[in-house]
Amino acid sequence: QLEKAISLGMKEICITDHHDYGSEFCPDDFTLDIPSYIERLRKIRDEYAGRIRLNIGIELGLQNHVGEYLHDFARTLGKEFDFVLGSSHFVDRMDPYEREYWKHFGEKEGFRAFFEVSLKRVQNLLDTFDSYGHLDYVVRYAPHKNEFYSWNDYEPYIRPLLKLLIENVWSVIQAVSDTDWEIPIHVLMFSVSIKNWAVKGSPLALMPIRRKL
């Protein structure tokens, strides 16, 4: 991928692997050996020095029950990373990626539970990350995708979440999806008020979104 980035004329790139501390209930291990991870990326960075700048990043899985760990991580290891992405993957020890989540909650309640816990995590863990990732995660893996999603139903959670990010000069990362839809993230931004965003000078970073027009 670095060779491809160079061929495209990119000057720098950032690698962010997942680190979901406190996800031992998952069948897969989503935690990193942090020292080894940093050491390996530093070696790659040195190998490519002069050709492309490699920024060392990480994607922290946000969960309030491991808040002490995340705050300590930011305080002691934050300086080791050029970029820290915060994101939500689990609700009540379940992942919207799995069918179990939807069997337990159903679609409408599954959306609500995810957005509610995402807001609480941003409120409590705002100082542990630089940017917030894929707010649409729960919709992406819903049984009917965004067919039954409506901004109006979840505005009480999404609006204050975005407002917090804006006021604290964080950015929102919207990942490219292989599907033809996404939550209309631009609508979310304008609903909060694009004027407020401009006044705050927040570094809005939206990745391309493929959707049917």
mmCIF file of all heavy atoms in Angstrom, residues 85-125:
data_model
loop_
_atom_site.group_PDB
_atom_site.id
_atom_site.type_symbol
_atom_site.label_atom_id
_atom_site.label_comp_id
_atom_site.label_asym_id
_atom_site.label_seq_id
_atom_site.Cartn_x
_atom_site.Cartn_y
_atom_site.Cartn_z
ATOM 1 N N LEU A 85 -7.425 7.627 16.475
ATOM 2 C CA LEU A 85 -8.826 7.593 16.053
ATOM 3 C C LEU A 85 -9.629 6.882 17.128
ATOM 4 O O LEU A 85 -9.249 5.811 17.602
ATOM 5 C CB LEU A 85 -8.930 6.846 14.722
ATOM 6 C CG LEU A 85 -10.311 6.642 14.105
ATOM 7 C CD1 LEU A 85 -10.967 7.978 13.786
ATOM 8 C CD2 LEU A 85 -10.190 5.786 12.848
ATOM 9 N N GLY A 86 -10.737 7.470 17.536
ATOM 10 C CA GLY A 86 -11.619 6.836 18.506
ATOM 11 C C GLY A 86 -12.873 6.338 17.820
ATOM 12 O O GLY A 86 -13.398 7.014 16.930
ATOM 13 N N SER A 87 -13.346 5.163 18.209
ATOM 14 C CA SER A 87 -14.549 4.638 17.563
ATOM 15 C C SER A 87 -15.291 3.690 18.493
ATOM 16 O O SER A 87 -14.729 3.185 19.467
ATOM 17 C CB SER A 87 -14.182 3.905 16.268
ATOM 18 O OG SER A 87 -13.286 2.844 16.535
ATOM 19 N N SER A 88 -16.552 3.463 18.193
ATOM 20 C CA SER A 88 -17.378 2.538 18.963
ATOM 21 C C SER A 88 -17.688 1.311 18.121
ATOM 22 O O SER A 88 -18.091 1.442 16.953
ATOM 23 C CB SER A 88 -18.697 3.208 19.373
ATOM 24 O OG SER A 88 -18.476 4.200 20.350
ATOM 25 N N HIS A 89 -17.514 0.137 18.728
ATOM 26 C CA HIS A 89 -17.818 -1.114 18.035
ATOM 27 C C HIS A 89 -18.807 -1.991 18.795
ATOM 28 O O HIS A 89 -19.531 -2.764 18.176
ATOM 29 C CB HIS A 89 -16.530 -1.919 17.811
ATOM 30 C CG HIS A 89 -15.531 -1.239 16.937
ATOM 31 N ND1 HIS A 89 -14.304 -0.814 17.410
ATOM 32 C CD2 HIS A 89 -15.569 -0.893 15.633
ATOM 33 C CE1 HIS A 89 -13.623 -0.239 16.433
ATOM 34 N NE2 HIS A 89 -14.363 -0.269 15.351
ATOM 35 N N PHE A 90 -18.840 -1.871 20.115
ATOM 36 C CA PHE A 90 -19.616 -2.808 20.921
ATOM 37 C C PHE A 90 -20.677 -2.096 21.763
ATOM 38 O O PHE A 90 -20.477 -0.976 22.223
ATOM 39 C CB PHE A 90 -18.695 -3.591 21.859
ATOM 40 C CG PHE A 90 -17.552 -4.278 21.144
ATOM 41 C CD1 PHE A 90 -16.246 -3.833 21.321
ATOM 42 C CD2 PHE A 90 -17.787 -5.345 20.297
ATOM 43 C CE1 PHE A 90 -15.191 -4.459 20.666
ATOM 44 C CE2 PHE A 90 -16.751 -5.971 19.637
ATOM 45 C CZ PHE A 90 -15.455 -5.532 19.814
ATOM 46 N N VAL A 91 -21.794 -2.794 21.958
ATOM 47 C CA VAL A 91 -22.863 -2.335 22.843
ATOM 48 C C VAL A 91 -23.275 -3.537 23.696
ATOM 49 O O VAL A 91 -23.674 -4.575 23.146
ATOM 50 C CB VAL A 91 -24.087 -1.820 22.061
ATOM 51 C CG1 VAL A 91 -25.170 -1.351 23.030
ATOM 52 C CG2 VAL A 91 -23.695 -0.694 21.115
ATOM 53 N N ASP A 92 -23.186 -3.395 25.004
ATOM 54 C CA ASP A 92 -23.541 -4.502 25.910
ATOM 55 C C ASP A 92 -22.837 -5.798 25.512
ATOM 56 O O ASP A 92 -23.457 -6.859 25.427
ATOM 57 C CB ASP A 92 -25.060 -4.716 25.927
ATOM 58 C CG ASP A 92 -25.806 -3.567 26.572
ATOM 59 O OD1 ASP A 92 -25.160 -2.758 27.269
ATOM 60 O OD2 ASP A 92 -27.030 -3.473 26.374
ATOM 61 N N ARG A 93 -21.556 -5.675 25.219
ATOM 62 C CA ARG A 93 -20.718 -6.829 24.884
ATOM 63 C C ARG A 93 -21.149 -7.531 23.595
ATOM 64 O O ARG A 93 -20.861 -8.713 23.375
ATOM 65 C CB ARG A 93 -20.702 -7.833 26.047
ATOM 66 C CG ARG A 93 -20.161 -7.263 27.341
ATOM 67 C CD ARG A 93 -20.412 -8.206 28.514
ATOM 68 N NE ARG A 93 -19.638 -9.446 28.377
ATOM 69 C CZ ARG A 93 -18.407 -9.603 28.835
ATOM 70 N NH1 ARG A 93 -17.789 -8.594 29.455
ATOM 71 N NH2 ARG A 93 -17.774 -10.753 28.698
ATOM 72 N N MET A 94 -21.809 -6.790 22.737
ATOM 73 C CA MET A 94 -22.223 -7.326 21.442
ATOM 74 C C MET A 94 -21.814 -6.372 20.339
ATOM 75 O O MET A 94 -21.724 -5.162 20.550
ATOM 76 C CB MET A 94 -23.745 -7.545 21.402
ATOM 77 C CG MET A 94 -24.231 -8.695 22.259
ATOM 78 S SD MET A 94 -26.028 -8.888 22.216
ATOM 79 C CE MET A 94 -26.510 -7.498 23.241
ATOM 80 N N ASP A 95 -21.578 -6.923 19.156
ATOM 81 C CA ASP A 95 -21.087 -6.166 18.009
ATOM 82 C C ASP A 95 -22.178 -6.107 16.936
ATOM 83 O O ASP A 95 -22.691 -7.156 16.517
ATOM 84 C CB ASP A 95 -19.844 -6.862 17.450
ATOM 85 C CG ASP A 95 -19.125 -6.054 16.389
ATOM 86 O OD1 ASP A 95 -19.737 -5.159 15.791
ATOM 87 O OD2 ASP A 95 -17.929 -6.334 16.159
ATOM 88 N N PRO A 96 -22.557 -4.903 16.478
ATOM 89 C CA PRO A 96 -23.548 -4.795 15.406
ATOM 90 C C PRO A 96 -23.155 -5.552 14.134
ATOM 91 O O PRO A 96 -24.004 -5.807 13.278
ATOM 92 C CB PRO A 96 -23.618 -3.284 15.142
ATOM 93 C CG PRO A 96 -23.238 -2.668 16.440
ATOM 94 C CD PRO A 96 -22.167 -3.580 16.997
ATOM 95 N N TYR A 97 -21.896 -5.898 14.038
ATOM 96 C CA TYR A 97 -21.432 -6.677 12.883
ATOM 97 C C TYR A 97 -22.006 -8.091 12.914
ATOM 98 O O TYR A 97 -22.138 -8.739 11.880
ATOM 99 C CB TYR A 97 -19.899 -6.738 12.908
ATOM 100 C CG TYR A 97 -19.275 -7.506 11.772
ATOM 101 C CD1 TYR A 97 -19.123 -6.914 10.514
ATOM 102 C CD2 TYR A 97 -18.829 -8.815 11.955
ATOM 103 C CE1 TYR A 97 -18.541 -7.622 9.468
ATOM 104 C CE2 TYR A 97 -18.249 -9.525 10.912
ATOM 105 C CZ TYR A 97 -18.106 -8.918 9.671
ATOM 106 O OH TYR A 97 -17.545 -9.610 8.633
ATOM 107 N N GLU A 98 -22.364 -8.552 14.108
ATOM 108 C CA GLU A 98 -22.854 -9.923 14.286
ATOM 109 C C GLU A 98 -24.382 -9.961 14.351
ATOM 110 O O GLU A 98 -25.029 -9.043 14.853
ATOM 111 C CB GLU A 98 -22.274 -10.521 15.572
ATOM 112 C CG GLU A 98 -20.759 -10.498 15.666
ATOM 113 C CD GLU A 98 -20.101 -11.439 14.663
ATOM 114 O OE1 GLU A 98 -20.805 -12.313 14.112
ATOM 115 O OE2 GLU A 98 -18.876 -11.302 14.448
ATOM 116 N N ARG A 99 -24.979 -11.068 13.878
ATOM 117 C CA ARG A 99 -26.436 -11.226 13.881
ATOM 118 C C ARG A 99 -27.013 -11.221 15.290
ATOM 119 O O ARG A 99 -28.153 -10.804 15.508
ATOM 120 C CB ARG A 99 -26.811 -12.542 13.183
ATOM 121 C CG ARG A 99 -26.546 -12.541 11.685
ATOM 122 C CD ARG A 99 -26.995 -13.856 11.065
ATOM 123 N NE ARG A 99 -26.745 -13.885 9.634
ATOM 124 C CZ ARG A 99 -27.034 -14.920 8.846
ATOM 125 N NH1 ARG A 99 -27.582 -16.015 9.378
ATOM 126 N NH2 ARG A 99 -26.770 -14.867 7.556
ATOM 127 N N GLU A 100 -26.223 -11.711 16.241
ATOM 128 C CA GLU A 100 -26.685 -11.768 17.624
ATOM 129 C C GLU A 100 -27.170 -10.409 18.121
ATOM 130 O O GLU A 100 -28.156 -10.321 18.866
ATOM 131 C CB GLU A 100 -25.545 -12.274 18.519
ATOM 132 C CG GLU A 100 -25.868 -12.265 20.009
ATOM 133 C CD GLU A 100 -24.649 -12.515 20.870
ATOM 134 O OE1 GLU A 100 -23.530 -12.654 20.312
ATOM 135 O OE2 GLU A 100 -24.803 -12.558 22.104
ATOM 136 N N TYR A 101 -26.464 -9.370 17.713
ATOM 137 C CA TYR A 101 -26.821 -8.007 18.143
ATOM 138 C C TYR A 101 -28.240 -7.660 17.712
ATOM 139 O O TYR A 101 -29.042 -7.154 18.500
ATOM 140 C CB TYR A 101 -25.824 -7.014 17.549
ATOM 141 C CG TYR A 101 -26.093 -5.574 17.915
ATOM 142 C CD1 TYR A 101 -25.542 -5.017 19.059
ATOM 143 C CD2 TYR A 101 -26.889 -4.748 17.109
ATOM 144 C CE1 TYR A 101 -25.768 -3.691 19.400
ATOM 145 C CE2 TYR A 101 -27.124 -3.425 17.433
ATOM 146 C CZ TYR A 101 -26.571 -2.893 18.584
ATOM 147 O OH TYR A 101 -26.797 -1.589 18.914
ATOM 148 N N TRP A 102 -28.559 -7.950 16.461
ATOM 149 C CA TRP A 102 -29.860 -7.575 15.902
ATOM 150 C C TRP A 102 -30.979 -8.473 16.404
ATOM 151 O O TRP A 102 -32.119 -8.035 16.548
ATOM 152 C CB TRP A 102 -29.772 -7.572 14.378
ATOM 153 C CG TRP A 102 -28.706 -6.623 13.920
ATOM 154 C CD1 TRP A 102 -27.460 -6.927 13.457
ATOM 155 C CD2 TRP A 102 -28.770 -5.197 13.957
ATOM 156 N NE1 TRP A 102 -26.745 -5.785 13.194
ATOM 157 C CE2 TRP A 102 -27.527 -4.704 13.479
ATOM 158 C CE3 TRP A 102 -29.754 -4.288 14.335
ATOM 159 C CZ2 TRP A 102 -27.253 -3.351 13.393
ATOM 160 C CZ3 TRP A 102 -29.484 -2.930 14.243
ATOM 161 C CH2 TRP A 102 -28.242 -2.471 13.772
ATOM 162 N N LYS A 103 -30.653 -9.726 16.704
ATOM 163 C CA LYS A 103 -31.642 -10.624 17.299
ATOM 164 C C LYS A 103 -32.004 -10.150 18.698
ATOM 165 O O LYS A 103 -33.147 -10.271 19.136
ATOM 166 C CB LYS A 103 -31.098 -12.051 17.360
ATOM 167 C CG LYS A 103 -31.000 -12.748 16.004
ATOM 168 C CD LYS A 103 -30.445 -14.153 16.149
ATOM 169 C CE LYS A 103 -30.365 -14.846 14.798
ATOM 170 N NZ LYS A 103 -29.787 -16.220 14.906
ATOM 171 N N HIS A 104 -31.010 -9.610 19.389
ATOM 172 C CA HIS A 104 -31.229 -9.128 20.756
ATOM 173 C C HIS A 104 -32.007 -7.808 20.780
ATOM 174 O O HIS A 104 -32.957 -7.659 21.555
ATOM 175 C CB HIS A 104 -29.883 -8.946 21.461
ATOM 176 C CG HIS A 104 -30.002 -8.397 22.851
ATOM 177 N ND1 HIS A 104 -30.321 -9.177 23.948
ATOM 178 C CD2 HIS A 104 -29.843 -7.126 23.328
ATOM 179 C CE1 HIS A 104 -30.354 -8.429 25.024
ATOM 180 N NE2 HIS A 104 -30.062 -7.171 24.689
ATOM 181 N N PHE A 105 -31.616 -6.851 19.954
ATOM 182 C CA PHE A 105 -32.191 -5.508 20.012
ATOM 183 C C PHE A 105 -33.331 -5.266 19.029
ATOM 184 O O PHE A 105 -34.251 -4.503 19.316
ATOM 185 C CB PHE A 105 -31.102 -4.456 19.737
ATOM 186 C CG PHE A 105 -30.170 -4.212 20.884
ATOM 187 C CD1 PHE A 105 -28.858 -4.649 20.829
ATOM 188 C CD2 PHE A 105 -30.593 -3.541 22.022
ATOM 189 C CE1 PHE A 105 -27.983 -4.423 21.879
ATOM 190 C CE2 PHE A 105 -29.729 -3.301 23.079
ATOM 191 C CZ PHE A 105 -28.417 -3.751 23.012
ATOM 192 N N GLY A 106 -33.256 -5.869 17.847
ATOM 193 C CA GLY A 106 -34.126 -5.426 16.773
ATOM 194 C C GLY A 106 -33.500 -4.193 16.132
ATOM 195 O O GLY A 106 -32.571 -3.601 16.705
ATOM 196 N N GLU A 107 -33.984 -3.776 14.966
ATOM 197 C CA GLU A 107 -33.297 -2.700 14.254
ATOM 198 C C GLU A 107 -33.436 -1.334 14.915
ATOM 199 O O GLU A 107 -32.446 -0.657 15.162
ATOM 200 C CB GLU A 107 -33.762 -2.658 12.792
ATOM 201 C CG GLU A 107 -33.036 -3.690 11.955
ATOM 202 C CD GLU A 107 -33.282 -3.552 10.475
ATOM 203 O OE1 GLU A 107 -32.645 -2.704 9.822
ATOM 204 O OE2 GLU A 107 -34.130 -4.297 9.971
ATOM 205 N N LYS A 108 -34.649 -0.916 15.202
ATOM 206 C CA LYS A 108 -34.832 0.434 15.731
ATOM 207 C C LYS A 108 -34.128 0.603 17.080
ATOM 208 O O LYS A 108 -33.415 1.584 17.310
ATOM 209 C CB LYS A 108 -36.314 0.762 15.867
ATOM 210 C CG LYS A 108 -36.577 2.224 16.194
ATOM 211 C CD LYS A 108 -38.015 2.618 15.970
ATOM 212 C CE LYS A 108 -38.205 4.111 16.177
ATOM 213 N NZ LYS A 108 -39.603 4.540 15.895
ATOM 214 N N GLU A 109 -34.305 -0.362 17.972
ATOM 215 C CA GLU A 109 -33.660 -0.279 19.277
ATOM 216 C C GLU A 109 -32.159 -0.482 19.148
ATOM 217 O O GLU A 109 -31.370 0.087 19.915
ATOM 218 C CB GLU A 109 -34.253 -1.320 20.220
ATOM 219 C CG GLU A 109 -33.631 -1.352 21.610
ATOM 220 C CD GLU A 109 -33.756 -0.029 22.373
ATOM 221 O OE1 GLU A 109 -34.594 0.815 21.988
ATOM 222 O OE2 GLU A 109 -33.004 0.151 23.349
ATOM 223 N N GLY A 110 -31.744 -1.270 18.163
ATOM 224 C CA GLY A 110 -30.316 -1.469 17.924
ATOM 225 C C GLY A 110 -29.634 -0.177 17.519
ATOM 226 O O GLY A 110 -28.512 0.117 17.944
ATOM 227 N N PHE A 111 -30.305 0.623 16.674
ATOM 228 C CA PHE A 111 -29.781 1.929 16.300
ATOM 229 C C PHE A 111 -29.705 2.829 17.528
ATOM 230 O O PHE A 111 -28.697 3.471 17.799
ATOM 231 C CB PHE A 111 -30.675 2.596 15.249
ATOM 232 C CG PHE A 111 -30.646 1.960 13.892
ATOM 233 C CD1 PHE A 111 -31.746 2.045 13.056
ATOM 234 C CD2 PHE A 111 -29.523 1.288 13.437
ATOM 235 C CE1 PHE A 111 -31.728 1.471 11.794
ATOM 236 C CE2 PHE A 111 -29.489 0.709 12.185
ATOM 237 C CZ PHE A 111 -30.601 0.805 11.357
ATOM 238 N N ARG A 112 -30.825 2.888 18.273
ATOM 239 C CA ARG A 112 -30.888 3.798 19.420
ATOM 240 C C ARG A 112 -29.809 3.465 20.445
ATOM 241 O O ARG A 112 -29.120 4.360 20.942
ATOM 242 C CB ARG A 112 -32.270 3.711 20.082
ATOM 243 C CG ARG A 112 -32.487 4.792 21.159
ATOM 244 C CD ARG A 112 -33.504 4.357 22.182
ATOM 245 N NE ARG A 112 -33.050 3.182 22.909
ATOM 246 C CZ ARG A 112 -32.133 3.222 23.880
ATOM 247 N NH1 ARG A 112 -31.560 4.373 24.239
ATOM 248 N NH2 ARG A 112 -31.768 2.109 24.496
ATOM 249 N N ALA A 113 -29.654 2.190 20.765
ATOM 250 C CA ALA A 113 -28.671 1.787 21.772
ATOM 251 C C ALA A 113 -27.259 2.179 21.353
ATOM 252 O O ALA A 113 -26.456 2.641 22.175
ATOM 253 C CB ALA A 113 -28.760 0.274 21.997
ATOM 254 N N PHE A 114 -26.952 2.014 20.068
ATOM 255 C CA PHE A 114 -25.612 2.342 19.583
ATOM 256 C C PHE A 114 -25.345 3.842 19.656
ATOM 257 O O PHE A 114 -24.286 4.272 20.128
ATOM 258 C CB PHE A 114 -25.432 1.858 18.152
ATOM 259 C CG PHE A 114 -24.065 2.119 17.590
ATOM 260 C CD1 PHE A 114 -23.024 1.238 17.811
ATOM 261 C CD2 PHE A 114 -23.811 3.268 16.843
ATOM 262 C CE1 PHE A 114 -21.753 1.481 17.307
ATOM 263 C CE2 PHE A 114 -22.549 3.521 16.328
ATOM 264 C CZ PHE A 114 -21.518 2.631 16.563
ATOM 265 N N PHE A 115 -26.288 4.658 19.180
ATOM 266 C CA PHE A 115 -26.076 6.105 19.189
ATOM 267 C C PHE A 115 -26.046 6.653 20.614
ATOM 268 O O PHE A 115 -25.290 7.571 20.914
ATOM 269 C CB PHE A 115 -27.152 6.807 18.363
ATOM 270 C CG PHE A 115 -27.020 6.579 16.885
ATOM 271 C CD1 PHE A 115 -28.091 6.114 16.137
ATOM 272 C CD2 PHE A 115 -25.819 6.822 16.239
ATOM 273 C CE1 PHE A 115 -27.962 5.895 14.769
ATOM 274 C CE2 PHE A 115 -25.680 6.610 14.874
ATOM 275 C CZ PHE A 115 -26.761 6.143 14.139
ATOM 276 N N GLU A 116 -26.860 6.083 21.490
ATOM 277 C CA GLU A 116 -26.867 6.534 22.879
ATOM 278 C C GLU A 116 -25.526 6.256 23.548
ATOM 279 O O GLU A 116 -24.950 7.130 24.201
ATOM 280 C CB GLU A 116 -27.983 5.842 23.660
ATOM 281 C CG GLU A 116 -28.020 6.266 25.122
ATOM 282 C CD GLU A 116 -29.103 5.560 25.921
ATOM 283 O OE1 GLU A 116 -29.356 4.369 25.646
ATOM 284 O OE2 GLU A 116 -29.686 6.186 26.821
ATOM 285 N N VAL A 117 -25.011 5.033 23.384
ATOM 286 C CA VAL A 117 -23.743 4.702 24.029
ATOM 287 C C VAL A 117 -22.579 5.453 23.379
ATOM 288 O O VAL A 117 -21.607 5.806 24.049
ATOM 289 C CB VAL A 117 -23.510 3.173 24.011
ATOM 290 C CG1 VAL A 117 -23.016 2.688 22.662
ATOM 291 C CG2 VAL A 117 -22.525 2.761 25.097
ATOM 292 N N SER A 118 -22.691 5.724 22.080
ATOM 293 C CA SER A 118 -21.647 6.500 21.402
ATOM 294 C C SER A 118 -21.558 7.901 21.988
ATOM 295 O O SER A 118 -20.456 8.428 22.209
ATOM 296 C CB SER A 118 -21.935 6.572 19.898
ATOM 297 O OG SER A 118 -21.863 5.300 19.300
ATOM 298 N N LEU A 119 -22.708 8.517 22.240
ATOM 299 C CA LEU A 119 -22.723 9.847 22.851
ATOM 300 C C LEU A 119 -22.073 9.813 24.229
ATOM 301 O O LEU A 119 -21.237 10.667 24.551
ATOM 302 C CB LEU A 119 -24.160 10.352 22.963
ATOM 303 C CG LEU A 119 -24.361 11.638 23.789
ATOM 304 C CD1 LEU A 119 -23.572 12.796 23.200
ATOM 305 C CD2 LEU A 119 -25.848 11.979 23.881
ATOM 306 N N LYS A 120 -22.419 8.833 25.041
ATOM 307 C CA LYS A 120 -21.860 8.739 26.387
ATOM 308 C C LYS A 120 -20.346 8.549 26.346
ATOM 309 O O LYS A 120 -19.617 9.091 27.179
ATOM 310 C CB LYS A 120 -22.523 7.595 27.145
ATOM 311 C CG LYS A 120 -23.981 7.863 27.500
ATOM 312 C CD LYS A 120 -24.615 6.674 28.216
ATOM 313 C CE LYS A 120 -26.058 6.966 28.588
ATOM 314 N NZ LYS A 120 -26.706 5.797 29.245
ATOM 315 N N ARG A 121 -19.886 7.795 25.378
ATOM 316 C CA ARG A 121 -18.446 7.556 25.267
ATOM 317 C C ARG A 121 -17.703 8.817 24.849
ATOM 318 O O ARG A 121 -16.624 9.114 25.369
ATOM 319 C CB ARG A 121 -18.192 6.414 24.281
ATOM 320 C CG ARG A 121 -18.612 5.069 24.829
ATOM 321 C CD ARG A 121 -18.650 3.978 23.787
ATOM 322 N NE ARG A 121 -19.065 2.707 24.372
ATOM 323 C CZ ARG A 121 -19.379 1.624 23.688
ATOM 324 N NH1 ARG A 121 -19.332 1.660 22.357
ATOM 325 N NH2 ARG A 121 -19.745 0.518 24.294
ATOM 326 N N VAL A 122 -18.266 9.558 23.923
ATOM 327 C CA VAL A 122 -17.634 10.815 23.522
ATOM 328 C C VAL A 122 -17.619 11.786 24.693
ATOM 329 O O VAL A 122 -16.627 12.486 24.932
ATOM 330 C CB VAL A 122 -18.351 11.416 22.300
ATOM 331 C CG1 VAL A 122 -17.864 12.844 22.040
ATOM 332 C CG2 VAL A 122 -18.106 10.560 21.051
ATOM 333 N N GLN A 123 -18.709 11.838 25.447
ATOM 334 C CA GLN A 123 -18.767 12.728 26.602
ATOM 335 C C GLN A 123 -17.691 12.391 27.631
ATOM 336 O O GLN A 123 -17.072 13.290 28.214
ATOM 337 C CB GLN A 123 -20.151 12.628 27.257
ATOM 338 C CG GLN A 123 -21.270 13.256 26.445
ATOM 339 C CD GLN A 123 -22.648 12.949 27.013
ATOM 340 O OE1 GLN A 123 -22.868 11.898 27.626
ATOM 341 N NE2 GLN A 123 -23.587 13.856 26.808
ATOM 342 N N ASN A 124 -17.451 11.116 27.854
ATOM 343 C CA ASN A 124 -16.532 10.692 28.908
ATOM 344 C C ASN A 124 -15.086 10.521 28.457
ATOM 345 O O ASN A 124 -14.171 10.575 29.284
ATOM 346 C CB ASN A 124 -17.014 9.364 29.508
ATOM 347 C CG ASN A 124 -18.344 9.490 30.214
ATOM 348 O OD1 ASN A 124 -18.676 10.542 30.748
ATOM 349 N ND2 ASN A 124 -19.117 8.412 30.219
ATOM 350 N N LEU A 125 -14.884 10.319 27.154
ATOM 351 C CA LEU A 125 -13.552 9.946 26.668
ATOM 352 C C LEU A 125 -13.009 10.901 25.610
ATOM 353 O O LEU A 125 -12.088 10.564 24.875
ATOM 354 C CB LEU A 125 -13.599 8.516 26.102
ATOM 355 C CG LEU A 125 -14.094 7.437 27.075
ATOM 356 C CD1 LEU A 125 -14.360 6.136 26.342
ATOM 357 C CD2 LEU A 125 -13.067 7.230 28.192
#
